[in-house]
Amino acid sequence: MASRKTRAGSTNSPDKKLPLNRSIPLGIQHVLAMFAGNITVPIIVAGVFGQTPEQKIFLIQMALFVAGVATIIQTVGYKEIGARLPIVQGTSFAFIPIMLPFKAAGLGAVFTAAFIGGIFQIFIGKVLKPIRHLFPPLVTGIVVLMIGFSLLKVGFMYAGGGGWLMNNKPEIFANANHLTVAATVFIVAIFFNLRGKGMASAASILIGIVAGFIVAAALGMVNYGKIASAAWFAFPMPLQYGIDFVPGAIILMLFMSVVTTIETIGDISATTMGGAKREATDKEISGGIMADGVGTAFGAIFNAMPNTSYSQNAGLVAFTGVVSRHVGTIAGIVLVLMGLFPKLGGIIAAMPESVIGGAAIIMFGMIVAAGIKLISRAEMDQRNLLILALSLSFGIGMSLLPDFVKNIPDFGISLKLLLTTGLIPAGLLAFALNAIMAKK
C-alpha cells in the first residue's frame, strides 16, 4: 500500500488538502446535497409526536448540529474511529418506521433506544475485520446499486417540488415552474462538469444550484419568510426529553443498527470507488461504521434522530471526483454553524425543493453507476450471476409492487415497509447467498 505521504500527494487521495477558496465551496455543495433530507426527518417525527412549533424548530436545529459533529468525527477521525473519507452524516429516513410506533412512549424512549443502538453499531464496526470477506465487491456493489435505485424516486420527487406538494397540492407538483428550476440545475451542472476546468468542474453542482436558485427567485418561488423567521443564535441543549428504557424500541433500534451498517458499507464503497477508483479498505469500513455509531449515540444525547452516512454525498463524490476528506470536514463545520445559527439554515430552507431535485437526479444516478462499477469487479460466473439476479429480483420487484407483501405480518418491526425499500431485501439476500453458496 502507498504511504500516507504518497497518498496525500495524489489528486484522488482522501488526504489531499485543497486551498480554502476551493474546499469551502465544495463543502457547501455537500451541505446543499443533504440539507433537505436532514431536516425532513425531524419535521416528520415532530408532527407525529405532537411537538409544538418551537419544539420542531429545536429538533431541526439539533439535527443540523449533530450532523455536523458526526461528519467531523467521520472525516477527521480519532484512533480507530472514522473512515477519514468525505462521508457526510445526517438523520436517516430508514429509522422513521421504527420510531413512529412509539408515539405513546415519547421521544425520550426513541433517543434512549438510539443511544443503545449507536453503542451496538460501534461494536459491529470493532469486530468487522474477521467477517470483512463476507462483503466482497459483488455484495457491496448490489447494496450500492440498490441505494441509488431506491433514491431515484426521491430525486424526481424533489425535482417536482417535494413530497408535501405531491401529497397535498398535486395540481402544483411538477408544474412548469418546478420543472424549469430543476432542469436549470440539471443542465447547468452537467455543462460545467463536462466543459468547466478545475474548480468550475468540481463545484458544478453548486453552480447549478445557484443558477436554479436565481431562476426560482425570478419566478417568485423563494420563501423569504423562512429566513426572516429563523433565530440568529440557538444553543444546543442535551437530554431535553429525558431517558426512558422501552424494550421494544431498543430491540428495533438494534435491528436497524445492522441494517444501517450494511448501507454505510455501501456508501463508503461508493465513495472510494467513485472518487478514488478503488475498493474501500478494512480500516475505512470499520472506522466508518464505528463513527456511524458514535454519531448516533452523540445525537441521542443531543435530541437528534439516529445518524447515518448520506448516500447522495457519495454520489456527489462520484460526480465531481473530489474525494478529499477535508472537504467533508468543511461541510461538517458548516452544518455545526447552521445548528448554532439557524438564520444560515433558513437561507437554504427558503429554496424550493425542485432546486435540490435537479442536482439529486444526477447524484443518485451516479450512485447507481458506482454500484454497477463495483459489481463489474466480480467474476460473472454462474454463482455470482445467480446471486445478482436473485438479489435484484427481490429488491427491485418488491419495491415496484408493494402489494406483494401486504399479507405478511409486521412482527412489530414494520416488516412490510422494510421489505419494500428494495435495499433491505437485496442487501440481506446478497449477503446471505454469498455466505452459503459455495464458490467453484
Side-chain angles (χ1 to χ4, degrees):
M1 178 183 251
S3 68
R4 192 167 186 83
K5 183 176 180 181
T6 303
R7 288 178 63 214
S10 172
T11 56
N12 63 347
S13 166
D15 297 319
K16 182 177 178 60
K17 289 186 176 180
L18 303 175
L20 287 178
N21 64 345
R22 293 191 66 196
S23 57
I24 290 177
L26 293 175
I28 293 173
Q29 186 171 244
H30 270 291
V31 173
L32 290 170
M34 57 79 71
F35 185 84
N38 192 52
I39 67 171
T40 300
V41 177
I43 289 172
I44 293 172
V45 173
V48 173
F49 279 74
Q51 301 296 287
T52 65
E54 292 77 16
Q55 290 171 323
K56 181 185 292 186
I57 293 170
F58 174 74
L59 289 174
I60 294 171
Q61 172 210 342
M62 290 296 94
L64 292 168
F65 173 74
V66 168
V69 173
T71 298
I72 293 170
I73 292 171
Q74 192 69 273
T75 59
V76 175
Y78 176 74
K79 294 185 177 180
E80 297 178 326
I81 298 171
R84 292 170 172 83
L85 292 167
I87 303 291
V88 177
Q89 300 285 123
T91 57
S92 174
F93 285 97
F95 286 89
I96 290 179
I98 68 166
M99 291 190 286
L100 301 188
F102 298 95
K103 173 183 176 181
L107 284 174
V110 170
F111 293 137
T112 302
F115 179 84
I116 296 171
I119 299 301
F120 180 61
Q121 195 174 7
I122 295 172
F123 171 76
I124 295 174
K126 186 75 174 176
V127 302
L128 182 72
K129 192 171 183 179
I131 60 171
R132 174 69 171 90
H133 66 282
L134 296 175
F135 298 93
L138 178 64
V139 174
T140 53
I142 289 171
V143 172
V144 173
L145 177 63
M146 288 307 303
I147 289 172
F149 179 83
S150 63
L151 286 173
L152 286 175
K153 181 178 179 180
V154 178
F156 280 90
M157 182 180 70
Y158 281 161
W164 188 88
L165 278 185
M166 184 173 68
N167 295 322
N168 295 279
K169 292 189 175 182
E171 69 279 4
I172 299 177
F173 178 78
N175 64 8
N177 283 357
H178 285 293
L179 295 185
T180 298
V181 169
T184 299
V185 177
F186 184 90
I187 293 169
V188 171
I190 292 292
F191 176 83
F192 276 91
N193 184 263
L194 295 176
R195 298 292 184 181
K197 294 182 180 179
M199 186 61 187
S201 177
S204 53
I205 290 288
L206 177 60
I207 296 171
I209 288 175
V210 170
F213 187 93
I214 293 171
V215 172
L219 294 172
M221 299 169 65
V222 176
N223 186 354
Y224 296 103
K226 291 187 176 181
I227 304 175
S229 62
W232 282 104
F233 180 79
F235 198 76
M237 300 292 290
L239 299 174
Q240 288 297 288
Y241 293 88
I243 299 172
D244 187 9
F245 292 90
V246 176
I250 294 171
I251 292 171
L252 288 181
M253 201 64 74
L254 294 177
F255 169 75
M256 282 305 300
S257 296
V258 177
V259 172
T260 196
T261 292
I262 295 175
E263 184 177 0
T264 298
I265 291 173
D267 289 338
I268 294 172
S269 299
T271 298
T272 57
M273 182 58 65
K277 307 298 185 285
R278 63 171 175 81
E279 292 181 43
T281 65
D282 290 349
K283 185 176 181 181
E284 286 168 339
I285 289 180
S286 177
I289 293 169
M290 285 193 282
D292 226 27
V294 171
T296 292
F298 175 82
I301 294 172
F302 279 90
N303 320 287
M305 314 302 161
N307 259 244
T308 189
S309 56
Y310 257 49
S311 302
Q312 48 264 57
N313 295 88
L316 181 57
V317 171
F319 184 65
T320 63
V322 178
V323 74
S324 169
R325 63 191 177 101
H326 304 292
V327 170
T329 302
I330 294 292
I333 293 171
V334 172
L335 285 166
V336 169
L337 291 175
M338 284 183 172
L340 296 176
F341 302 95
K343 190 73 75 175
L344 296 174
I347 296 173
I348 299 178
M351 293 190 304
E353 291 190 17
S354 48
V355 174
I356 302 299
I361 292 173
I362 300 172
M363 295 183 294
F364 297 163
M366 290 301 297
I367 296 173
V368 173
I372 294 172
K373 192 170 184 178
L374 269 170
I375 292 170
S376 70
R377 297 174 74 93
E379 181 184 353
M380 283 296 105
D381 54 20
Q382 185 178 2
R383 171 189 181 272
N384 289 348
L385 278 173
L386 186 58
I387 292 174
L388 177 63
L390 293 176
S391 300
L392 295 185
S393 290
F394 279 85
I396 297 175
M398 287 194 288
S399 67
L400 292 176
L401 189 64
D403 283 349
F404 181 79
V405 298
K406 67 180 182 180
N407 293 318
I408 293 178
D410 266 349
F411 296 111
I413 59 171
S414 299
L415 180 61
K416 285 183 283 191
L417 188 58
L418 293 175
L419 288 175
T420 57
T421 60
L423 169 63
I424 305 303
L428 292 179
L429 192 56
F431 173 80
L433 291 176
N434 178 73
I436 64 178
M437 290 177 66
K439 295 182 179 179
K440 294 184 179 180

